[in-house]
Amino acid sequence: SCPEPKVPLTTSSSTFADSTKYQKNVEEIERLKSEIEFLQDMMNQLSTKERKMNKEITEIEDKLKQLWSHHNYWAKVFHVRMVGLLDELVIKKAHLNDADVAQLIEILQSNWHPYKINYANPKRPTRVLDETDEKLKKIEDCYGKEVADEVVRVFNELDEYNPNGRYPQLLPWSPEKHAPLTTSEKVSILVDNASSLLQNQSTSRYHGFYYFALSSLSGLMFSMITLYTVVSLARTWSARRWI
């Protein structure tokens, strides 16, 4: 009879190496899964804190806005500008009457959108002014190019600073940057004017809120800086893990 084939008692070295490599890959995948779950949990917590801080900052800024819009002294502390308002010089130059201005304001407060998307570069579509827009052409035909340009300018301001209400809004403004003051700039101005604010009798009834706003904004600014730093580091670290 033929002899029975001998069964090897040990696997070859290549098979053993493949098995070891597979096991290490499995362990690495499990470790990466744990890291991803940890990062996702941390990012969710940070996002929650970020939303809470943004809400608190918005509430404090709303209170500050009430103060500078209802008290003349704040105009001496902040440089303010009414955004989303038609320029009176342009209105006078075009000899527009109240009915004309009211009609333009009605257009600006409607759902009118004089822009279109340009897909000349499919990878980077851009928003451009629609020169063929019927309302825009009608404004230019009736009141001239300068008025049409002014309407577009006001539209852009409303779109950026008050897209929901679409009405003019008083904002603390930076003439140097031609933009609203940031929260940090407001805090800096408040600190610089602290002594004059508290010594002025006309603002004595606002002292309590002033202290509250200043301390809250300062604390929130520090927390926001810390939060954004942690988020940036976490995102950078997470991205590098996959490079």
Side-chain angles (χ1 to χ4, degrees):
S1 62
C2 297
E4 295 181 3
K6 295 182 179 180
V7 180
L9 298 177
T10 59
T11 58
S12 65
S13 59
S14 60
T15 305
F16 179 78
D18 291 342
S19 176
T20 303
K21 185 177 180 180
Y22 173 79
Q23 184 62 30
K24 287 183 178 180
N25 288 338
V26 171
E27 292 175 357
E28 179 67 11
I29 290 173
E30 291 300 322
R31 186 180 67 81
L32 289 174
K33 284 182 178 179
S34 299
E35 288 183 0
I36 292 172
E37 290 176 359
F38 170 77
L39 284 173
Q40 288 178 338
D41 183 60
M42 183 174 67
M43 292 297 292
N44 290 335
Q45 293 181 28
L46 291 173
S47 297
T48 301
K49 290 181 180 180
E50 183 181 7
R51 286 194 296 270
K52 182 180 178 182
M53 288 180 181
N54 284 333
K55 182 180 179 181
E56 291 176 354
I57 289 177
T58 301
E59 290 175 353
I60 292 173
E61 288 193 337
D62 287 342
K63 291 293 184 181
L64 285 174
K65 194 184 300 180
Q66 292 176 17
L67 290 179
W68 69 59
S69 62
H70 291 92
H71 204 278
N72 294 332
Y73 185 77
W74 287 91
K76 301 177 183 178
V77 180
F78 294 103
H79 182 92
V80 294
R81 179 175 178 269
M82 185 71 77
V83 298
L85 195 66
L86 291 168
D87 191 335
E88 291 185 6
L89 294 178
V90 176
I91 293 174
K92 290 180 180 179
K93 187 177 178 180
H95 304 291
L96 303 184
N97 55 38
D98 292 344
D100 295 330
V101 175
Q103 187 175 3
L104 293 177
I105 292 175
E106 184 179 352
I107 293 173
L108 287 166
Q109 292 180 344
S110 68
N111 59 356
W112 175 59
H113 194 84
Y115 283 88
K116 63 181 180 180
I117 304 299
N118 182 8
Y119 292 98
N121 184 351
K123 294 183 179 180
R124 290 187 178 180
T126 56
R127 192 183 80 149
V128 296
L129 186 66
D130 186 1
E131 302 289 350
T132 63
D133 182 86
E134 292 184 3
K135 287 186 178 180
L136 186 60
K137 289 175 65 177
K138 186 176 180 180
I139 292 173
E140 186 172 345
D141 291 341
C142 293
Y143 308 119
K145 182 71 165 60
E146 189 174 1
V147 173
D149 291 342
E150 176 64 11
V151 169
V152 171
R153 182 194 68 80
V154 173
F155 174 88
N156 292 335
E157 284 191 351
L158 292 173
D159 217 33
E160 182 173 0
Y161 303 121
N162 192 11
N164 295 325
R166 302 204 67 80
Y167 53 82
Q169 196 170 22
L170 190 67
L171 296 178
W173 198 259
S174 171
E176 296 79 13
K177 298 192 304 181
H178 302 286
L181 292 173
T182 63
T183 303
S184 59
E185 288 171 335
K186 294 173 192 174
V187 171
S188 178
I189 293 174
L190 287 174
V191 171
D192 292 341
N193 292 271
S195 58
S196 60
L197 275 169
L198 297 176
Q199 290 172 5
N200 189 281
Q201 293 182 355
S202 63
T203 58
S204 59
R205 61 193 177 115
Y206 298 126
H207 288 181
F209 174 75
Y210 172 77
Y211 278 124
F212 163 73
L214 182 58
S215 60
S216 299
L217 282 172
S218 300
L220 283 170
M221 283 300 297
F222 177 77
S223 299
M224 290 294 287
I225 291 172
T226 304
L227 177 64
Y228 286 133
T229 302
V230 172
V231 170
S232 298
L233 289 174
R235 287 174 177 169
T236 302
W237 181 85
S238 177
R240 288 178 177 176
R241 293 292 294 128
W242 296 98
I243 295 176

